[in-house]
Each structure stands twice: as C-alpha cells, then as structure tokens.
C-alpha cells in the first residue's frame, strides 16, 4: 500500500494501493465522491518518485493543497487535500514508496510559466491552440535577424569645439 486518503470529517479512508487514481463523482472513477459539487472527473492522484501529486482535471470547484488552490502540485505527507469543499488528509511515507534524497519538483507536469497566460494559469481563460511547427520554424529563422544590432541612425558625433567662436 502506498498511502491512505482519509476524510477529515470522518468516514472510511481510501487505501492507495495503485500508483494512479482518478477522483470524481462519475461511477467510472477510481475514488468516487458522490457529491453535487464534485466534477465527474475532478482530479487525478499520481505517485511519482515516492511522492503523491494531485492534478486538477479542469474541475468546476477546484482542488486545494493546504488551503491553496492548485492545478498540479506535490502533496506532502500529512497535507490537507481539498477536493471541492471536501477535506482529506493524505498519509504516506515517501521512503517506503521509493523516494531518495531531497523531495522532487513541486509540480508533476512541470512549471513552464511561459506556456500559459496568467489568465489561463488562474483558470479564467481557456488555452489557445498551439502554434504550428511551421510557425516555430519561421520564428527560428527570424531570431538571428532580431539579434543582429540595427544600423545606427544617430548622426556622427559633433565637434562642439570647432563651432566655438571667440571675439
């Protein structure tokens, strides 16, 4: 067993015996939370490098780790996981799950800040279609021209002393 997901308000804990779980209201989910404020497929729990991660699956009411809204985050042992408004404690030992050394990255899917706008990262705007490979190749071809300094449009330096007139 890789850990235990326990409701903080009481109820039966969910033993985590697999390395990946889909959590949601739909009966096809691995962990079914039959509440109207839980999305059909709300989030995913993934074990990676000995640590559990939660990935929001574009849920309506979001996911929080220790009170902070997240879309992709490592859930450390003993942390509080909120799925919509339902609170759980995630209990596990990373060393028993194969962790060695320092904890891995905070995000499972990576934190490529430039891949999304701030509005997308906040969940307020949908992602736009990705650029095509042709667009990327055009950009790569244009980069050397962008990095080459433009010819100076400044006038040649003036010699102020030659213009001085003494009486």
């Amino acid at each position: 067993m890789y850990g235990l997901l326990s409701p903080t308000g009481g109820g039966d804990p969910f033993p985590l015996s697999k390395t990946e779980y889909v959590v949601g209201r739909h009966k096809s989910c691995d962990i079914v939370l039959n509440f109207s404020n839980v999305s059909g497929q709300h989030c995913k729990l993934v074990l990676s490098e000995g640590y559990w991660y939660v990935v929001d699956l574009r849920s309506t009411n979001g996911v929080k780790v220790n009170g902070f809204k997240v879309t992709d985050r490592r859930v450390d042992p003993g942390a509080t996981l909120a799925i919509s408004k339902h609170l759980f404690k995630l209990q596990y030992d990373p060393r028993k799950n194969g962790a060695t050394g320092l904890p891995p990255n905070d995000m499972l899917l990576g934190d490529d800040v430039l891949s999304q706008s701030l509005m997308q990262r906040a969940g307020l705007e949908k992602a736009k279609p990705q650029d095509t490979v042709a667009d990327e190749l055009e950009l790569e071809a244009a980069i050397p021209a962008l990095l080459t300094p433009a010819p100076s449009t400044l006038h040649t330096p003036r010699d102020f002393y030659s213009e001085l007139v003494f009486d």
Side-chain angles (χ1 to χ4, degrees):
M1 186 168 74
Y2 297 110
L4 202 59
L5 184 65
S6 304
T8 60
D12 295 331
F14 299 97
L16 302 175
S17 56
K18 303 187 314 181
T19 59
E20 191 170 305
Y21 288 88
V22 174
V23 181
R25 190 177 70 237
H26 196 270
K27 62 184 175 183
S28 67
C29 293
D30 300 308
I31 298 175
V32 178
L33 301 177
N34 198 11
F35 301 103
S36 61
N37 59 353
V38 174
S39 296
Q41 289 190 336
H42 200 94
C43 63
K44 186 184 285 191
L45 293 172
V46 179
L47 183 67
S48 177
E49 297 183 48
Y51 286 83
W52 282 100
Y53 289 81
V54 64
V55 178
D56 191 342
L57 298 175
R58 297 181 177 252
S59 65
T60 303
N61 292 314
V63 177
K64 292 181 180 178
V65 174
N66 290 332
F68 294 98
K69 188 172 182 171
V70 298
T71 56
D72 173 4
R73 185 66 55 194
R74 186 181 69 229
V75 184
D76 291 327
T80 301
L81 175 64
I83 299 171
S84 184
K85 303 240 182 227
H86 307 282
L87 301 177
F88 298 87
K89 283 279 186 194
L90 188 54
Q91 301 158 334
Y92 66 99
D93 183 353
R95 291 170 293 166
K96 288 183 181 177
N97 293 344
T100 58
L102 296 174
N105 191 358
D106 284 344
M107 299 182 82
L108 180 66
L109 303 176
D111 190 13
D112 187 3
V113 175
L114 300 178
S115 69
Q116 293 181 319
S117 72
L118 184 58
M119 297 293 282
Q120 290 169 345
R121 288 174 57 89
L124 301 173
E125 180 182 283
K126 295 191 184 220
K128 295 178 180 138
Q130 295 295 320
D131 294 334
T132 63
V133 174
D135 291 340
E136 291 177 12
L137 293 175
E138 288 174 16
L139 181 60
E140 285 180 20
I143 288 175
L146 293 172
L147 296 177
T148 306
S152 177
T153 57
L154 298 175
H155 299 288
T156 56
R158 290 176 50 187
D159 183 8
F160 292 103
Y161 296 109
S162 64
E163 297 176 10
L164 292 177
V165 177
F166 295 99
D167 290 334

